[in-house]
Amino acid sequence: METFLRGRDLVGDLDFSKEEVQKVLDFALDLKRQRAQGQSHPILRDKVLAMLFFFSSTRTRGSFEAGMAQLGGHAAFIESRTTQIAHGDTPKEIGVIFGRYFDGIAIRQVDWGTGNAYISAVAEASDVPVLNMQCDIYHPFQCLADLMTVIEKKGRDLRRKKMVVSWAYAASYQKPMSVPQSLILQMPRFGLDVVLAHPPEFKLMPEIMEQAREQAKKSGSGFEVVDDMDAAFKGADIVYAKSWGAMVHTQDEKEGAKIIGKYSSWITDERRMKLAKPDAIYMHPLPADRNIEVTDDVMDGPQSAVYDEAENRLHAQKAVMALTMS
Ligand code: CP
């Protein structure tokens, strides 16, 4: 087993260099092929991952748990409300104590202004790898699976390919901005020209925008911001349109919900997909507000890559777990 990531945390997308991400994805593709051929790969036999959730999940829990079992280990699902965290267990105590029980600690904590600080504090205290299963700032494993999917669909040479990361209307709740932030940090490193589209109130965090610009400049990729969904879709190779909250603009949830209501026309439908290239793919991390954020026709249509993205969570996470925890 290669050792270049042994013991490392993955909290933010830029924690791994571009070369390290490339090696992770090569390994993920290999694990995917092995699984399709029925080959077992018990790289983490006798190892146990703690999965600490402060927020609901379908894909993340399922894929980490299945992934650990397929690697010969075990994943312990720990729902935060069933722990003593509310009664005083600190992030340091979780990091030190879980670090003595488990071989890795994966955490989902998406509360605005809190999630990343919590995961970082656990990582600081722990001797074992800490893996970010989504926080208020980043969703690095979603992004690795997305990049793997883009490479499978569009090839390894992504230079001059246009990827739109667009805000979309959703009525259910103010979704975290971690997915678009991870995308704008990681995708330009691999040559994609990223166009970020959102109404004015849905700005991403200024420090993340600055880092995204730096990554694009360093890689010679494009990075542009527009406030028109139609203009953004024109000529796109990849359309990644999902909702996020107005947390940078206002911390007031009621005001945020009111602002979202102004932009119900920001939906991905067949008309908009026709603005993109004929072979463009549609991406979404799920869950989606169907027929509000995206129509069924697009989500279930031939351009949709959403099931491949969801599947690739499994393979990308297995690669990172094997490389960090073995
Ligand atoms: N995409 C994603 O993270 O899905 P879950 O919220 O269901 O884990």
Side-chain angles (χ1 to χ4, degrees), residues 54-72:
F54 290 80
F55 192 73
S56 53
S57 166
T58 304
R59 281 143 293 270
T60 303
R61 179 188 174 179
S63 51
F64 268 100
E65 197 161 329
M68 272 307 286
Q70 289 166 21
L71 291 168

Side-chain angles (χ1 to χ4, degrees), residues 1-2 4-11 16 20-21 23-29 31 43-44 49 64 68 71 103-104 129-132 140-142 144-145 312-326:
M1 202 55 216
E2 294 209 62
F4 65 100
L5 288 181
R6 184 170 288 162
R8 294 265 294 276
D9 303 321
L10 180 56
V11 178
F16 293 175
E20 288 168 341
V21 170
K23 284 187 183 175
V24 164
L25 295 184
D26 288 344
F27 188 39
L29 287 160
L31 290 172
I43 300 162
L44 295 182
L49 175 75
F64 268 100
M68 272 307 286
L71 291 168
D103 302 285
V130 170
L131 307 177
N132 179 357
F141 287 97
Q142 181 65 53
L144 288 176
N312 284 337
R313 292 290 304 274
L314 175 72
H315 310 298
Q317 287 157 197
K318 281 169 70 179
V320 174
M321 290 191 290
L323 289 165
T324 59
M325 291 168 59
S326 62

Side-chain angles (χ1 to χ4, degrees), residues 92-271:
K92 179 181 174 185
E93 288 161 7
I94 294 293
V96 174
I97 295 167
F98 276 14
R100 294 187 187 192
Y101 300 157
F102 299 102
D103 302 285
I105 306 170
I107 306 174
R108 168 170 282 194
Q109 198 341 345
V110 299
D111 293 346
W112 180 246
T114 309
N116 184 265
Y118 183 87
I119 297 172
S120 299
V122 174
E124 178 69 30
S126 181
D127 287 337
V128 299
V130 170
L131 307 177
N132 179 357
M133 296 194 292
Q134 190 179 18
C135 68
D136 49 335
I137 302 178
Y138 311 108
H139 198 349
F141 287 97
Q142 181 65 53
C143 194
L144 288 176
D146 292 337
L147 181 55
M148 183 173 166
T149 308
V150 169
I151 289 169
E152 285 178 328
K153 303 282 181 195
K154 297 288 173 192
R156 281 179 184 269
D157 184 3
L158 298 172
R159 282 171 300 170
R160 302 282 75 88
K161 295 241 183 287
K162 177 177 174 180
M163 178 170 193
V164 176
V165 177
S166 178
W167 185 85
Y169 174 66
S172 54
Y173 71 105
Q174 292 207 60
K175 302 184 183 191
M177 57 180 65
S178 48
V179 169
Q181 295 201 144
S182 285
L183 291 171
I184 66 167
L185 289 172
Q186 191 73 272
M187 296 302 177
R189 297 210 286 179
F190 287 82
L192 287 158
D193 291 337
V194 172
V195 175
L196 175 66
H198 59 75
E201 299 92 336
F202 293 90
K203 287 191 171 62
L204 300 179
M205 294 169 67
E207 53 272 41
I208 297 294
M209 292 293 290
E210 189 50 43
Q211 288 175 39
R213 282 191 194 95
E214 268 171 39
Q215 292 304 321
K217 194 171 165 195
K218 223 159 71 178
S219 309
S221 315
F223 181 61
E224 194 189 340
V225 185
V226 299
D227 62 1
D228 180 329
M229 201 177 188
D230 279 358
F233 272 47
K234 277 187 191 140
D237 296 281
I238 300 143
V239 169
Y240 201 121
K242 76 168 302 293
S243 190
W244 65 84
M247 287 82 81
V248 169
H249 180 78
T250 177
Q251 314 275 303
D252 184 315
E253 280 201 25
K254 275 194 186 145
E255 195 192 340
K258 210 167 132 190
I259 293 166
I260 289 174
K262 293 197 303 185
Y263 299 106
S264 59
S265 67
W266 283 61
I267 183 171
T268 304
D269 56 14
E270 284 191 312
R271 181 194 70 78

